[in-house]
Structures are given as structure tokens and as C-alpha cells.
Amino acid sequence: GTQLTPMARAALYFKVSKLDYFLPAILALEDTSEVDRAAKTKLLRHILDKELGSRATLTMCFFDLFFLLLLMVTFQMSVYHVVDGKGPDVLYTTTFFLSMIGVLYAILRKFGQMSSMIKISRQAFVENNFRWVDTIDWLAILLVFGGIVWMAVAISSNYELVPVTDYMRSYLAAAVCGVWLKLISWLSVINWQVINLVNLLYEVSS
């Protein structure tokens, strides 16, 4: 067919990107091989670049960072409180609930990402949920959740049922390190010009 000029191609890409149901229609394809083939086209790459830099994506990225920092600060405060052998008070109760909110948000975000990827294609699901950053994320989430429950049991029994031992201190230290590694893994997939929320650019550029 006739080759489009760069200006005509840009105009065509712009018009297609304005279609309301273009991306949902692609995601609705039952044949995953067709979705994979569409994901490698320059047109879809252009639209994904536009969508990944949208206000909604930036807002979601902001919430991810906010809840991650919230979890990091409140969990460490709870750890210091328990390791020092202090009893339950308003500060600990506050940090307990805030850290629980942070870890539950992280769990929901991971399942949301998995659900989004499986709707695109099996290949996208595998390539975006079995990376080293995903392993770190799940390890950190499980360590922190276990640490929150462990500390709650210990402090509720005034450290009689569950005393603070060296093993507990080591576990909590590993959980704190896991949160820091989760922050590093989150930063590793950030493009400061376009927020790569689900790492779809790898799919469309391969």
C-alpha cells in the first residue's frame, strides 16, 4: 500500500488514540495471539505511551508511592516500639492500623495488576508477574504482614505469650529490609518521563 508521510501518520495516530473504545476492544479479543500481534504495532505503542503518561496513571503512581512510604514509616515505628518492649498505647495502635492499611493496599494492587495482565494475554501475564521485582514485592508483603500479626500477638499478651527473642528481631529486621527492597524495585520500573505502571512497554517493544 501507499506509505504515509510522517505528518499523515501522526494525524492518523492522533485520531485513533481519540477513539473511546479502541483499547477495550483489543482487550476483548478472545484470540490471545491476535492481542499479542496487536501489541507489537507502532500504532498501539503510540497509544500506550499516551495512556501511560495520562493523569489517571500518574495519580495511581502517586498513590502507590504514598502507601508504600506510609507502610515503610509506620511499620518501622511499630518494630521499634515492640523491640524496645513498650506496651500498647495510642501511637502503637495508630501505626498498627496504618501499616495494615498499607500492606492491604499492596496486596490489592498486586492482584489488580495480575487481573489486568491476564485480560491482555497469557504472555503479558507471565512476563509481568514472574520477574525479580515481583518476587521481591511478594516477599516483602508476606514478611511485613507476618511481622504485623506477630507484633500484635506479642504486645496484646504483654510479651508473656510471645516474648521478643533474637529470632523475632531478625525476622522483623528482614521485613524492614524487604520494604526497602520493595521501594527500590518500585523505583526500578519508573520512567520519569512516562510512568510505566504495568511494564507494557516491554511487551510492545519486543
Side-chain angles (χ1 to χ4, degrees), residues 99-130:
S99 58
M100 185 63 75
I101 290 172
V103 76
L104 289 178
Y105 175 85
I107 293 174
L108 291 176
R109 285 289 291 120
K110 291 300 294 182
F111 279 114
Q113 177 179 322
M114 294 170 66
S115 175
S116 299
M117 290 298 100
I118 198 64
K119 289 179 181 179
I120 295 175
S121 68
R122 289 189 297 270
Q123 180 181 352
F125 175 81
V126 172
E127 292 182 353
N128 290 277
N129 288 285
F130 294 93

Short mmCIF file of all heavy atoms in Angstrom, two decimals, residues 99-130:
data_model
loop_
_atom_site.label_atom_id
_atom_site.label_comp_id
_atom_site.label_asym_id
_atom_site.label_seq_id
_atom_site.Cartn_x
_atom_site.Cartn_y
_atom_site.Cartn_z
N SER A 99 -0.10 0.69 59.12
CA SER A 99 0.74 -0.30 58.42
C SER A 99 -0.10 -1.42 57.83
O SER A 99 0.19 -1.94 56.75
CB SER A 99 1.81 -0.85 59.36
OG SER A 99 1.21 -1.46 60.50
N MET A 100 -1.19 -1.78 58.53
CA MET A 100 -2.09 -2.80 57.99
C MET A 100 -2.78 -2.30 56.73
O MET A 100 -2.95 -3.03 55.75
CB MET A 100 -3.12 -3.20 59.04
CG MET A 100 -4.03 -4.33 58.61
SD MET A 100 -3.14 -5.90 58.29
CE MET A 100 -2.79 -6.43 59.96
N ILE A 101 -3.18 -1.04 56.74
CA ILE A 101 -3.79 -0.43 55.55
C ILE A 101 -2.79 -0.44 54.39
O ILE A 101 -3.14 -0.76 53.25
CB ILE A 101 -4.26 1.01 55.85
CG1 ILE A 101 -5.46 1.00 56.78
CG2 ILE A 101 -4.61 1.74 54.55
CD1 ILE A 101 -5.88 2.36 57.27
N GLY A 102 -1.54 -0.10 54.69
CA GLY A 102 -0.50 -0.08 53.66
C GLY A 102 -0.27 -1.44 53.04
O GLY A 102 -0.15 -1.57 51.81
N VAL A 103 -0.20 -2.48 53.86
CA VAL A 103 0.07 -3.82 53.32
C VAL A 103 -1.14 -4.37 52.58
O VAL A 103 -1.00 -5.07 51.57
CB VAL A 103 0.53 -4.78 54.45
CG1 VAL A 103 -0.63 -5.23 55.31
CG2 VAL A 103 1.25 -5.98 53.87
N LEU A 104 -2.36 -4.05 53.04
CA LEU A 104 -3.56 -4.50 52.32
C LEU A 104 -3.66 -3.80 50.96
O LEU A 104 -4.07 -4.42 49.97
CB LEU A 104 -4.81 -4.22 53.16
CG LEU A 104 -4.98 -5.10 54.41
CD1 LEU A 104 -6.23 -4.68 55.18
CD2 LEU A 104 -5.05 -6.58 54.03
N TYR A 105 -3.28 -2.53 50.91
CA TYR A 105 -3.27 -1.82 49.63
C TYR A 105 -2.29 -2.48 48.67
O TYR A 105 -2.58 -2.66 47.48
CB TYR A 105 -2.88 -0.36 49.84
CG TYR A 105 -2.72 0.42 48.55
CD1 TYR A 105 -3.84 1.00 47.93
CD2 TYR A 105 -1.48 0.57 47.95
CE1 TYR A 105 -3.71 1.71 46.76
CE2 TYR A 105 -1.34 1.28 46.76
CZ TYR A 105 -2.45 1.84 46.17
OH TYR A 105 -2.30 2.53 44.99
N ALA A 106 -1.10 -2.86 49.18
CA ALA A 106 -0.09 -3.50 48.34
C ALA A 106 -0.61 -4.83 47.78
O ALA A 106 -0.38 -5.15 46.62
CB ALA A 106 1.19 -3.72 49.14
N ILE A 107 -1.32 -5.59 48.62
CA ILE A 107 -1.88 -6.87 48.17
C ILE A 107 -2.93 -6.65 47.08
O ILE A 107 -2.93 -7.33 46.04
CB ILE A 107 -2.48 -7.63 49.36
CG1 ILE A 107 -1.38 -8.06 50.33
CG2 ILE A 107 -3.26 -8.86 48.88
CD1 ILE A 107 -1.90 -8.68 51.61
N LEU A 108 -3.82 -5.70 47.30
CA LEU A 108 -4.87 -5.42 46.31
C LEU A 108 -4.27 -4.92 45.00
O LEU A 108 -4.75 -5.28 43.91
CB LEU A 108 -5.85 -4.38 46.87
CG LEU A 108 -6.74 -4.85 48.02
CD1 LEU A 108 -7.58 -3.70 48.55
CD2 LEU A 108 -7.64 -6.01 47.59
N ARG A 109 -3.22 -4.13 45.05
CA ARG A 109 -2.58 -3.62 43.84
C ARG A 109 -1.93 -4.76 43.06
O ARG A 109 -2.00 -4.78 41.82
CB ARG A 109 -1.54 -2.56 44.18
CG ARG A 109 -2.12 -1.23 44.58
CD ARG A 109 -2.74 -0.50 43.38
NE ARG A 109 -1.71 -0.06 42.45
CZ ARG A 109 -1.63 -0.41 41.18
NH1 ARG A 109 -2.50 -1.25 40.65
NH2 ARG A 109 -0.67 0.05 40.41
N LYS A 110 -1.31 -5.70 43.76
CA LYS A 110 -0.68 -6.82 43.07
C LYS A 110 -1.74 -7.68 42.37
O LYS A 110 -1.56 -8.08 41.22
CB LYS A 110 0.12 -7.68 44.05
CG LYS A 110 1.36 -7.00 44.61
CD LYS A 110 2.34 -6.61 43.53
CE LYS A 110 2.95 -7.82 42.84
NZ LYS A 110 3.95 -7.42 41.81
N PHE A 111 -2.84 -7.97 43.06
CA PHE A 111 -3.90 -8.75 42.44
C PHE A 111 -4.56 -7.99 41.30
O PHE A 111 -4.97 -8.58 40.30
CB PHE A 111 -4.93 -9.17 43.48
CG PHE A 111 -4.53 -10.37 44.29
CD1 PHE A 111 -4.27 -10.26 45.64
CD2 PHE A 111 -4.39 -11.62 43.69
CE1 PHE A 111 -3.88 -11.37 46.39
CE2 PHE A 111 -4.01 -12.74 44.42
CZ PHE A 111 -3.75 -12.60 45.78
N GLY A 112 -4.68 -6.67 41.45
CA GLY A 112 -5.23 -5.86 40.37
C GLY A 112 -4.35 -5.89 39.14
O GLY A 112 -4.84 -5.98 38.01
N GLN A 113 -3.04 -5.82 39.35
CA GLN A 113 -2.10 -5.89 38.23
C GLN A 113 -2.17 -7.25 37.54
O GLN A 113 -2.16 -7.33 36.31
CB GLN A 113 -0.68 -5.64 38.72
CG GLN A 113 0.39 -5.76 37.64
CD GLN A 113 1.78 -5.48 38.18
OE1 GLN A 113 1.97 -4.60 39.01
NE2 GLN A 113 2.75 -6.24 37.73
N MET A 114 -2.25 -8.31 38.34
CA MET A 114 -2.35 -9.65 37.77
C MET A 114 -3.63 -9.81 36.95
O MET A 114 -3.62 -10.40 35.87
CB MET A 114 -2.30 -10.69 38.90
CG MET A 114 -0.96 -10.75 39.63
SD MET A 114 -1.02 -11.77 41.12
CE MET A 114 -1.29 -13.39 40.39
N SER A 115 -4.74 -9.27 37.46
CA SER A 115 -6.00 -9.34 36.75
C SER A 115 -5.94 -8.58 35.42
O SER A 115 -6.45 -9.06 34.40
CB SER A 115 -7.12 -8.78 37.63
OG SER A 115 -8.35 -8.73 36.93
N SER A 116 -5.30 -7.41 35.44
CA SER A 116 -5.17 -6.63 34.21
C SER A 116 -4.33 -7.35 33.17
O SER A 116 -4.65 -7.35 31.98
CB SER A 116 -4.54 -5.26 34.53
OG SER A 116 -5.36 -4.53 35.42
N MET A 117 -3.23 -7.96 33.60
CA MET A 117 -2.35 -8.64 32.67
C MET A 117 -2.99 -9.87 32.04
O MET A 117 -2.82 -10.13 30.85
CB MET A 117 -1.05 -9.04 33.37
CG MET A 117 -0.13 -7.89 33.75
SD MET A 117 0.46 -6.96 32.31
CE MET A 117 -0.65 -5.55 32.35
N ILE A 118 -3.76 -10.62 32.83
CA ILE A 118 -4.38 -11.82 32.27
C ILE A 118 -5.45 -11.46 31.26
O ILE A 118 -5.75 -12.23 30.35
CB ILE A 118 -4.97 -12.70 33.41
CG1 ILE A 118 -5.22 -14.13 32.90
CG2 ILE A 118 -6.23 -12.10 33.95
CD1 ILE A 118 -4.00 -14.88 32.50
N LYS A 119 -6.05 -10.27 31.39
CA LYS A 119 -7.05 -9.82 30.42
C LYS A 119 -6.40 -9.46 29.09
O LYS A 119 -7.05 -9.51 28.05
CB LYS A 119 -7.82 -8.62 30.97
CG LYS A 119 -8.78 -8.96 32.10
CD LYS A 119 -9.48 -7.72 32.61
CE LYS A 119 -10.43 -8.05 33.75
NZ LYS A 119 -11.10 -6.82 34.28
N ILE A 120 -5.12 -9.05 29.13
CA ILE A 120 -4.42 -8.70 27.90
C ILE A 120 -4.02 -9.96 27.14
O ILE A 120 -4.41 -10.16 26.00
CB ILE A 120 -3.19 -7.83 28.21
CG1 ILE A 120 -3.64 -6.49 28.81
CG2 ILE A 120 -2.36 -7.58 26.96
CD1 ILE A 120 -2.51 -5.60 29.26
N SER A 121 -3.22 -10.80 27.81
CA SER A 121 -2.83 -12.07 27.21
C SER A 121 -2.07 -12.88 28.23
O SER A 121 -1.57 -12.36 29.23
CB SER A 121 -1.94 -11.84 25.96
OG SER A 121 -0.68 -11.32 26.33
N ARG A 122 -1.97 -14.18 27.97
CA ARG A 122 -1.21 -15.04 28.87
C ARG A 122 0.26 -14.66 28.87
O ARG A 122 0.94 -14.74 29.90
CB ARG A 122 -1.39 -16.51 28.45
CG ARG A 122 -2.78 -17.07 28.74
CD ARG A 122 -2.82 -18.57 28.52
NE ARG A 122 -2.56 -18.89 27.12
CZ ARG A 122 -3.51 -19.00 26.20
NH1 ARG A 122 -4.78 -18.79 26.53
NH2 ARG A 122 -3.22 -19.32 24.96
N GLN A 123 0.77 -14.27 27.70
CA GLN A 123 2.17 -13.88 27.61
C GLN A 123 2.44 -12.63 28.46
O GLN A 123 3.43 -12.57 29.18
CB GLN A 123 2.56 -13.60 26.16
CG GLN A 123 4.02 -13.18 25.99
CD GLN A 123 4.35 -12.88 24.54
OE1 GLN A 123 3.54 -13.12 23.65
NE2 GLN A 123 5.54 -12.35 24.30
N ALA A 124 1.54 -11.65 28.37
CA ALA A 124 1.70 -10.44 29.17
C ALA A 124 1.62 -10.76 30.66
O ALA A 124 2.35 -10.18 31.47
CB ALA A 124 0.64 -9.41 28.80
N PHE A 125 0.75 -11.70 31.03
CA PHE A 125 0.62 -12.09 32.44
C PHE A 125 1.91 -12.71 32.96
O PHE A 125 2.39 -12.35 34.04
CB PHE A 125 -0.54 -13.08 32.60
CG PHE A 125 -0.68 -13.63 33.98
CD1 PHE A 125 -1.33 -12.90 34.96
CD2 PHE A 125 -0.17 -14.88 34.30
CE1 PHE A 125 -1.46 -13.41 36.25
CE2 PHE A 125 -0.30 -15.40 35.58
CZ PHE A 125 -0.95 -14.66 36.56
N VAL A 126 2.47 -13.63 32.18
CA VAL A 126 3.70 -14.31 32.62
C VAL A 126 4.87 -13.33 32.68
O VAL A 126 5.63 -13.31 33.66
CB VAL A 126 4.03 -15.48 31.68
CG1 VAL A 126 5.41 -16.06 32.00
CG2 VAL A 126 2.96 -16.55 31.78
N GLU A 127 5.00 -12.49 31.65
CA GLU A 127 6.16 -11.61 31.58
C GLU A 127 6.10 -10.47 32.59
O GLU A 127 7.13 -9.87 32.90
CB GLU A 127 6.28 -11.03 30.16
CG GLU A 127 6.65 -12.06 29.12
CD GLU A 127 6.80 -11.46 27.74
OE1 GLU A 127 6.47 -10.26 27.58
OE2 GLU A 127 7.24 -12.19 26.83
N ASN A 128 4.92 -10.17 33.12
CA ASN A 128 4.78 -9.05 34.04
C ASN A 128 4.44 -9.47 35.46
O ASN A 128 4.19 -8.61 36.30
CB ASN A 128 3.71 -8.08 33.53
CG ASN A 128 4.14 -7.34 32.28
OD1 ASN A 128 4.84 -6.35 32.35
ND2 ASN A 128 3.73 -7.85 31.13
N ASN A 129 4.48 -10.77 35.75
CA ASN A 129 4.19 -11.23 37.11
C ASN A 129 5.19 -12.25 37.63
O ASN A 129 5.04 -12.71 38.77
CB ASN A 129 2.78 -11.82 37.18
CG ASN A 129 1.70 -10.78 37.08
OD1 ASN A 129 1.44 -10.03 38.02
ND2 ASN A 129 1.06 -10.71 35.91
N PHE A 130 6.20 -12.57 36.85
CA PHE A 130 7.20 -13.53 37.28
C PHE A 130 8.61 -12.97 37.07
O PHE A 130 9.52 -13.68 36.64
CB PHE A 130 7.03 -14.86 36.54
CG PHE A 130 5.76 -15.57 36.88
CD1 PHE A 130 4.61 -15.38 36.11
CD2 PHE A 130 5.67 -16.40 37.98
CE1 PHE A 130 3.42 -16.02 36.42
CE2 PHE A 130 4.48 -17.04 38.30
CZ PHE A 130 3.36 -16.85 37.52
#
